[in-house]
Amino acid sequence: GDSLFQLKDYPASVAVFQEAVEMFSHFSQSYGESVATLYYKLGLACSKMNAYEEAFASFRQCIRVFSEDLGPDHLRVGDVMYDVGKLVYSHGEHGSAEKSMECFKEVMRIYSLNKHQNHVRAADVSVQMATIHTDLGEYDEARDALKKALKIYEGGIGEKTSLVGKGLTLQQIGRIHYAKNEFDQALTSFKDALQIFQDTLGEKDMNVSLALSNIGIVHARKSEHEKAVEMCTKALKIRKLHFDDDQDIADSLFNIANILDDWGRKDEALILFEKALKLYKSLPGDLEISQANCQQRIGSIYWSKGNVDDALIAYLDAHEICEAEHEDIEELLTSVHKGLGNCYFLQEEYDSSLNHFAKCLKLQREEIGEKSMDVSSTYDCIGRLYTNQGKYAEAIDFHTKSLHIIEKHHGKGSKESASCNMLIAKALFKMEKYDLCMELLQDSLKVICTAGDDC
């Protein structure tokens, strides 16, 4: 079982571990610790297969046996609960942050009872807790947890585990800087972590890959696309040394495709999105949302290339997945509705288009508020649709709502407000209100020409 696990043949290793557990159950003599260890390995193998329910069941059995044989506060129980906490959070179900944090707090309680609160494993727990705090936007709590971890790691400096732990802590510090848009500080932390991993673990370790990926993502946010692709491609090459085709590789393909898409290299991005989608579909586990994200980005590329039919197919595939999901998909679903609205608009299926624009607008108001430029854009989409339907008063109403938002963001004399005023002017022209139309057009053209655009 161990050999098969190392060879990444997880289904075969699960079968062997299950058979071993069954064999021990027939012995009259107690082999509690051995059975618990088998359950632990079984849980790890199931988690690698994204078989989360089976993994949780195996870990529960492991904790039960260790608790019966060694006591509920034994270090072995704490060690298993640490892995359960990580699995709960990576599974990403509703409430996973709270449940995972409860696990880690219980681990810390057990370690403290056994006077292990200053050991490296306790520092590992602090880093995991910091990860959750960072994802929840609780940056002060995250920093406090990382300070505790760093103090422990630096106390054992020179030891490999402590050095690696320090690198992981710097990674988390980088994530906090990144979340706060402090990109230069984030780069410094990620590069320091990379250096530690390269010196301690070698150039081909997975932690090196993760650090390179993080550096690449920061460069992408700084619009340094060439450097971003370079770093993320290096990260992908390392991952391919460790895995044949797994979720990490699919995620890497998706991230590089995103960067290429933002860079304007649409054809290359499309190829990688399609590769990532094919890989997500081939993998076990609940990866439908990842598939939907790919489909949404594929749809947006087809849309930008003027291929409305293929864009619609991709958006519909993404929509079908989103409709079956219920948690944490609002941002994705908003983009899908916007894409479908645009496609149906060009196909002159205005009722379907309005339906999706309205759903997009509802989600945007709930998630980002009434005054976002994204809401303004959707108002304009609905306004154009009403203009095409001959409902000019409704069109002006929605364009005016958009204009109010634009003026708050860019000012009344901005190019953005001028562009919106021209949409209102178009509706006024259709209503034969020529004086108002001419006034808006003249004001808009003055702004655009003053800004140096091609009049």
Side-chain angles (χ1 to χ4, degrees):
D2 290 336
S3 297
L4 290 167
F5 185 90
Q6 292 299 320
L7 291 170
K8 301 181 180 64
D9 189 349
Y10 302 121
S13 69
V14 165
V16 172
F17 290 141
Q18 287 175 332
E19 184 178 356
V21 169
E22 179 67 20
M23 290 174 64
F24 274 116
S25 69
H26 295 300
F27 297 142
S28 58
Q29 183 178 349
S30 174
Y31 290 94
E33 286 191 50
S34 297
V35 172
T37 301
L38 281 170
Y39 276 126
Y40 176 71
K41 293 177 178 180
L42 186 56
L44 290 179
C46 288
S47 67
K48 291 291 186 180
M49 296 166 58
N50 295 328
Y52 294 110
E53 294 305 318
E54 294 84 351
F56 287 130
S58 296
F59 284 137
R60 280 195 294 270
Q61 289 284 62
C62 174
I63 290 171
R64 179 186 63 79
V65 177
F66 273 142
S67 296
E68 290 174 355
D69 272 37
L70 305 173
D73 295 328
H74 195 274
L75 283 171
R76 297 291 294 276
V77 175
D79 289 342
V80 179
M81 288 197 69
Y82 170 76
D83 286 298
V84 171
K86 289 200 298 181
L87 184 61
V88 168
Y89 194 56
S90 67
H91 189 23
E93 285 190 343
H94 181 66
S96 62
E98 292 79 6
K99 293 174 183 176
S100 183
M101 191 65 82
E102 287 175 10
C103 279
F104 292 135
K105 287 179 179 177
E106 178 63 11
V107 175
M108 282 298 208
R109 185 192 69 81
I110 292 172
Y111 286 173
S112 295
L113 281 176
N114 289 273
K115 302 188 185 305
H116 273 57
Q117 66 269 26
N118 293 319
H119 284 223
V120 167
R121 194 56 180 252
D124 295 343
V125 179
S126 289
V127 172
Q128 293 297 325
M129 295 172 79
T131 300
I132 298 173
H133 284 308
T134 301
D135 290 343
L136 294 175
E138 299 167 353
Y139 303 126
D140 290 339
E141 293 88 341
R143 281 198 175 97
D144 289 342
L146 291 172
K147 285 178 183 176
K148 291 179 183 177
L150 203 56
K151 184 177 180 181
I152 295 171
Y153 290 135
E154 289 179 340
I157 209 66
E159 298 177 12
K160 185 174 182 178
T161 52
S162 295
L163 286 168
V164 173
K166 182 178 180 180
L168 293 171
T169 305
L170 288 169
Q171 289 263 58
Q172 290 302 319
I173 292 171
R175 288 186 68 237
I176 294 173
H177 286 307
Y178 180 82
K180 298 178 73 175
N181 295 328
E182 299 167 352
F183 299 130
D184 289 337
Q185 295 95 317
L187 269 180
T188 298
S189 294
F190 289 142
K191 286 179 178 179
D192 288 345
L194 175 63
Q195 191 63 58
I196 289 173
F197 294 144
Q198 288 173 328
D199 292 343
T200 308
L201 302 170
E203 296 283 346
K204 298 178 182 179
D205 188 81
M206 277 297 296
N207 284 297
V208 172
S209 173
L210 181 59
L212 286 167
S213 182
N214 285 331
I215 291 168
I217 290 169
V218 176
H219 281 299
R221 283 296 300 272
K222 296 178 71 176
S223 297
E224 297 167 354
H225 299 108
E226 185 173 1
K227 193 68 175 175
V229 170
E230 177 190 346
M231 294 294 104
C232 290
T233 301
K234 286 181 179 179
L236 176 59
K237 287 179 179 178
I238 294 172
R239 283 182 174 145
K240 285 183 174 179
L241 294 174
H242 292 262
F243 306 103
D244 293 326
D245 284 314
D246 78 336
Q247 186 177 347
D248 277 338
I249 290 176
D251 291 343
S252 295
L253 290 168
F254 181 83
N255 288 335
I256 296 171
N258 265 329
I259 297 167
L260 290 168
D261 190 9
D262 292 340
W263 195 1
R265 293 164 64 169
K266 303 290 185 182
D267 292 336
E268 295 169 75
L270 182 59
I271 291 170
L272 292 188
F273 278 132
E274 289 177 338
K275 284 184 178 180
L277 177 62
K278 183 178 180 181
L279 189 47
Y280 283 131
K281 287 181 175 180
S282 72
L283 293 171
D286 184 13
L287 296 175
E288 283 79 8
I289 294 301
S290 296
Q291 294 175 33
N293 272 308
C294 277
Q295 295 283 21
Q296 187 272 323
R297 295 310 298 261
I298 289 169
S300 71
I301 291 177
Y302 278 130
W303 167 260
S304 70
K305 292 164 68 71
N307 189 339
V308 179
D309 291 339
D310 283 339
L312 182 59
I313 291 170
Y315 283 131
L316 285 171
D317 287 343
H319 183 257
E320 183 179 359
I321 294 172
C322 289
E323 287 291 286
E325 300 291 334
H326 304 286
E327 302 292 345
D328 302 325
I329 60 167
E330 288 79 7
E331 183 177 356
L332 170 61
L333 189 55
T334 300
S335 298
V336 171
H337 280 309
K338 188 70 168 284
L340 286 169
N342 284 327
C343 290
Y344 284 127
F345 176 81
L346 284 189
Q347 293 186 340
E348 299 183 2
E349 296 183 31
Y350 295 129
D351 289 342
S352 294
S353 178
L354 182 58
N355 177 49
H356 286 289
F357 282 143
K359 289 179 178 179
C360 172
L361 185 60
K362 181 176 183 294
L363 286 168
Q364 287 174 329
R365 285 169 168 170
E366 292 171 353
E367 295 300 312
I368 55 180
E370 293 277 358
K371 299 179 181 179
S372 164
M373 285 298 294
D374 289 333
V375 171
S376 169
S377 171
T378 305
Y379 279 144
D380 278 333
C381 288
I382 295 173
R384 289 189 182 94
L385 187 151
Y386 279 134
T387 297
N388 281 21
Q389 286 187 311
K391 299 177 180 178
Y392 305 121
E394 291 92 335
I396 289 172
D397 180 49
F398 276 91
H399 287 313
T400 301
K401 289 178 180 178
S402 171
L403 181 64
H404 289 158
I405 296 172
I406 291 170
E407 288 178 343
K408 287 178 181 178
H409 283 265
H410 299 285
K412 290 188 176 182
S414 64
K415 290 190 299 179
E416 291 79 7
S417 62
S419 296
C420 190
N421 273 322
M422 291 180 76
L423 294 173
I424 296 172
K426 180 178 180 180
L428 288 170
F429 180 84
K430 295 288 186 179
M431 296 173 74
E432 299 183 0
K433 295 185 177 182
Y434 300 123
D435 290 342
L436 286 174
C437 173
M438 184 64 70
E439 182 181 338
L440 277 180
L441 284 175
Q442 287 175 337
D443 290 343
S444 298
L445 286 170
K446 180 189 284 188
V447 170
I448 292 171
C449 291
T450 302
D453 287 354
D454 186 359
C455 295

